[in-house]
Amino acid sequence: MKKLLTLLAFAILLHVSAQAQFVRYGARLGNGASYVSDDLLTHSPIFGFSIGGYADYMFTDWKNPWAENVYLEVGLNIVRRGTNFQQVWVNMRSIRQGFYHNWYAQIPVLAGFKWEIPQLPAGNFVSFYVGPTFNVGLFGKLWDRKVTPGMPQSSHNYDTFITGDKNDRRSFQNMRRIDVGVVLGVAYQWHNFTFDLYLDHGFVALMKKDDVLNGVVYGNENSETTTNDDRNAYTGTNQAIMLGIGYQLPINR
């Protein structure tokens, strides 16, 4: 069923693209707050960053009064995502802290609605857009440190920058490279300059950690048993709130 829906979505996209043409291209630079939300870790943002270019399609042959307002946007960005994290065990007098600083190649495929503001002079627009993003990890840095004075075991006392090797400090040696997310944003355009505010929300948990309940057998009233071997204890996904500034130009034909 999922394959059928995927093929149907691609067929619709190809049909729509056949009735569209490139109308403008541009570049955008963004920064803001980026963090990874995990239920077991206290987290705080790092400096998120994005730079890239894009091209817009317009539905030139679409027989609809909104044909001049709706567009598709495809781009390529280099983005920085990550978080600072901390975990405290009061009874053990133990603390764990660190950060992820990850760089991705990001491909957004956005559907947008652009509207010229009638109350303002010509050249003032507002637009709204939403769509999926596909992210591939390029490189990154991980710092993970845990100190437990009352316990000498290496599993409770370590520092990836001191006791670990270089692979322990490389983010994508310890987490997934592939991420899928969604971007939801609003933009204001003054002539060729654009100003964006958008949310970049990831869906894929960045790591796989065994849950303590994995392997536990559950029974029901019919004496049937099940296990939860696929539970992931790590729920952290990439999140970012970004401000962007850009410049775009029409494609002359």
Side-chain angles (χ1 to χ4, degrees):
M1 185 63 179
K2 291 182 179 179
K3 291 182 178 180
L4 178 61
L5 292 175
T6 301
L7 291 173
L8 180 61
F10 273 110
I12 294 173
L13 182 60
L14 289 173
H15 174 70
V16 170
S17 299
Q19 303 183 55
Q21 66 178 9
F22 286 109
V23 294
R24 53 183 172 261
Y25 65 97
R28 185 182 295 118
L29 174 70
N31 59 69
S34 175
Y35 62 95
V36 173
S37 58
D38 181 65
D39 294 340
L40 299 180
L41 300 177
T42 301
H43 52 80
S44 60
I46 67 166
F47 180 77
F49 178 80
S50 175
I51 186 170
Y54 60 89
D56 289 349
Y57 288 96
M58 290 287 289
F59 300 89
T60 53
D61 296 330
W62 193 20
K63 306 303 181 182
N64 190 290
W66 300 110
E68 296 297 322
N69 300 92
V70 178
Y71 65 93
L72 289 179
E73 182 174 300
V74 180
L76 175 63
N77 303 320
I78 302 299
V79 303
R80 182 181 191 250
R81 298 290 183 262
T83 195
N84 299 307
F85 65 85
Q86 186 178 91
Q87 194 171 16
V88 177
W89 296 269
V90 176
N91 294 336
M92 294 172 57
R93 293 184 299 170
S94 179
I95 184 172
R96 179 186 175 211
Q97 58 188 340
F99 59 71
Y100 312 134
H101 295 168
N102 300 332
W103 290 87
Y104 295 85
Q106 181 186 76
I107 300 175
V109 182
L110 309 176
F113 183 87
K114 187 174 183 178
W115 180 61
E116 188 167 14
I117 305 172
Q119 294 84 358
L120 296 178
N124 287 271
F125 300 85
V126 63
S127 59
F128 306 89
Y129 52 86
V130 62
T133 64
F134 306 92
N135 307 273
V136 179
L138 301 176
F139 57 89
K141 181 183 295 185
L142 165 66
W143 177 49
D144 190 355
R145 174 178 181 265
K146 184 177 180 181
V147 177
T148 311
M151 303 180 71
Q153 295 92 334
S154 60
S155 60
H156 293 284
N157 296 273
Y158 59 82
D159 189 320
T160 55
F161 274 39
I162 299 175
T163 61
D165 59 27
K166 60 181 180 180
N167 286 329
D168 293 329
R169 300 188 289 273
R170 293 174 175 170
S171 292
F172 296 113
Q173 294 291 332
N174 300 276
M175 61 180 58
R176 293 168 172 153
R177 286 185 180 272
I178 304 300
D179 187 23
V180 178
V182 64
V183 164
L184 173 64
V186 60
Y188 165 70
Q189 180 178 343
W190 177 73
H191 297 285
N192 292 334
F193 291 94
T194 60
F195 307 89
D196 295 74
L197 172 64
Y198 60 94
L199 170 69
D200 186 345
H201 174 82
F203 292 116
V204 179
L206 299 181
M207 287 187 283
K208 177 67 175 177
K209 297 288 187 180
D210 288 336
D211 192 280
V212 294
L213 297 179
N214 284 350
V216 175
V217 178
Y218 296 87
N220 58 26
E221 58 187 14
N222 298 322
S223 299
E224 298 173 344
T225 60
T226 58
T227 61
N228 285 330
D229 291 338
D230 293 331
R231 290 173 62 100
N232 188 4
Y234 188 84
T235 61
T237 58
N238 280 320
Q239 312 291 330
I241 299 175
M242 305 289 288
L243 290 170
I245 183 171
Y247 191 83
Q248 67 177 217
L249 291 171
I251 297 176
N252 296 321
R253 292 184 177 275

